[in-house]
Amino acid sequence: MVYTAKNWPITAALLQFPATDAAGVHINDAEASVWADVLTEVKEAGFANADLTDSWVRPGDLGTKRLAEFKQTADEVGIGIPVISAIRRSVIEEGSWEANLAYSHRTIDAAAELGCEVVSFGLHQAITPEQQKQLWFWTVEGYKDPAGDAEAWNNAVIRLRELGRHAAEVGVLLSLEMYEDTYLGTADSSVRLVQDIGLANVGLNPDLGNLIRLHRPIEDWRDMVAKTLPYSNYWHMKNYIRDEDRARDMYVTMPAPMESGLINYREAFKVALSVGFQGILCTEHYGGDGLSVTASNQDYLRRHVLPKTDGYTLGSSQVAQGRQQPSAAELSSV
């Protein structure tokens, strides 16, 4: 069975929902009714599934009883939660990597308890104070992974491989989110990282929007699609209008609906199918009524991008899709 426009799983990112309420209470400590209100809003926007973005709730920090309560709440609302996106908890962050690694393991365990298919991690770190002053945080540079540092690279490989093995043991895919100035900041580096990790259940989350929005020269999005989609198993999707005048060193971007931005997702998805992609999709948007724009993005995907029937030819992916797990031989070979 292959996915079609009718049944392809699409999640809503929860970027629009704050982690604390007006009284400063973290969402993890909120009443279940508060969770239900958010999940109901997402469902009423037209989504059958949500990506548990941990800028809202942190499943890895919910105790056993509260995690069960969260799952029951989602079930009662009638919305699926097949993915957790854990962001800005890099396993190579100086001074914090041990805590971040432990948090990542807890998040994988939480994903298994919730019945998730995928956990998405990244190497990006907290937004800097200078970035927080901007209308759009990506207009100034933030943290950068140390270029050419073999030890830091190897640490990333070893620690992400550790997480990948844990994920495989509990039947979960691990996806690595692309993000500027990290070891997942270019197509070539991202692919190399997955190859060095060497586990079938570890692939890329080719969030190309994170890269095309930068106010500087960028890789051609078509080249990034061609290089990264063979190694991808989940996909954060968003788009940006982009203008550039290289002669004047001028670059301007702003968020846009998926059908209106620089990336032609109709073209990109043809490539994805040709290399075997069958991963869950997540629609995102920054600014304004982000939830409504993500809902429009879902509609655009189902109407214009995703295959209408199952009669298409699906290529072969370099990583596992769906709930496939690496064999014991694959795990022991790394």
Side-chain angles (χ1 to χ4, degrees):
M1 296 292 293
V2 292
Y3 288 134
T4 66
K6 184 177 181 180
N7 64 11
W8 206 298
I10 300 177
T11 66
L14 304 183
L15 300 170
Q16 293 75 36
F17 299 100
T20 57
D21 64 16
V25 176
H26 195 277
I27 293 302
N28 275 39
D29 301 319
E31 297 292 332
S33 61
V34 176
W35 300 335
D37 288 344
V38 168
L39 296 176
T40 298
E41 191 172 347
V42 172
K43 183 181 180 181
E44 290 177 347
F47 286 95
N49 298 286
D51 174 314
L52 292 185
T53 319
D54 74 349
S55 56
W56 178 56
V57 70
R58 296 196 301 262
D61 285 341
L62 288 173
T64 302
K65 290 183 178 180
R66 292 239 75 193
L67 193 63
E69 187 177 12
F70 188 92
K71 187 177 188 305
Q72 180 181 352
T73 300
D75 290 343
E76 290 174 351
V77 170
I79 193 164
I81 43 176
V83 184
I84 299 173
S85 285
I87 60 176
R88 303 192 185 280
R89 300 294 288 267
S90 171
V91 296
I92 58 171
E93 181 176 353
E94 187 174 353
S96 300
W97 71 266
E98 291 176 300
N100 291 347
L101 182 62
Y103 171 78
S104 299
H105 278 294
R106 295 196 304 273
T107 300
I108 291 171
D109 286 333
E113 287 294 320
L114 293 171
C116 297
E117 180 176 312
V118 183
V119 177
S120 177
F121 293 119
L123 293 174
H124 41 309
Q125 299 186 18
I127 295 174
T128 67
E130 186 61 31
Q131 287 180 308
Q132 293 175 12
K133 297 176 184 177
Q134 313 304 315
L135 174 61
W136 307 119
F137 65 84
W138 55 84
T139 58
V140 297
E141 293 185 353
Y143 167 81
K144 297 182 179 182
D145 282 342
D149 188 324
E151 182 179 2
W153 177 274
N154 289 335
N155 284 337
V157 170
I158 291 168
R159 293 165 192 167
L160 291 172
R161 185 185 294 150
E162 176 184 323
L163 294 175
R165 284 175 165 157
H166 180 185
E169 289 170 359
V170 296
V172 173
L173 297 180
L174 192 151
S175 197
L176 304 177
E177 180 182 353
M178 296 178 67
Y179 194 91
E180 77 266 15
D181 296 326
T182 70
Y183 295 144
L184 293 159
T186 68
D188 287 338
S189 179
S190 298
V191 168
R192 181 188 160 206
L193 188 62
V194 169
Q195 290 174 333
D196 283 1
I197 292 167
L199 296 176
N201 70 313
V202 179
L204 292 176
N205 171 357
D207 193 339
L208 304 184
N210 287 343
L211 304 178
I212 70 159
R213 69 190 179 190
L214 301 177
H215 284 203
R216 55 174 128 148
I218 59 171
E219 294 181 79
D220 188 290
W221 68 265
R222 296 173 186 83
D223 292 338
M224 290 193 284
V225 165
K227 291 177 179 179
T228 62
L229 262 298
Y231 293 87
S232 297
N233 56 9
Y234 179 50
W235 199 346
H236 282 177
M237 309 177 92
K238 55 180 177 283
N239 219 342
Y240 294 81
I241 292 173
R242 181 177 176 88
D243 186 31
E244 58 180 56
D245 184 342
R246 296 201 176 198
R248 298 179 181 178
D249 196 31
M250 183 189 75
Y251 307 90
V252 176
T253 67
M254 60 190 70
M258 281 177 59
E259 62 188 315
S260 304
L262 178 69
I263 300 170
N264 180 346
Y265 278 99
R266 187 193 295 261
E267 181 179 335
F269 217 85
K270 291 176 183 177
V271 175
L273 295 177
S274 75
V275 294
F277 179 79
Q278 290 281 284
I280 296 172
L281 309 176
C282 175
T283 57
E284 297 182 311
H285 186 78
Y286 281 99
D289 184 355
L291 181 58
S292 291
V293 178
T294 59
S296 296
N297 287 342
Q298 175 182 220
D299 184 58
Y300 159 71
L301 286 170
R302 296 204 191 278
R303 284 188 297 112
H304 298 303
V305 175
L306 301 176
K308 296 298 189 294
T309 69
D310 61 5
Y312 59 90
T313 299
L314 183 68
S316 298
S317 177
Q318 297 299 308
V319 295
Q321 304 290 316
R323 284 191 176 274
Q324 300 173 58
Q325 299 180 41
S327 67
E330 287 175 310
L331 287 173
S332 63
S333 67
V334 179

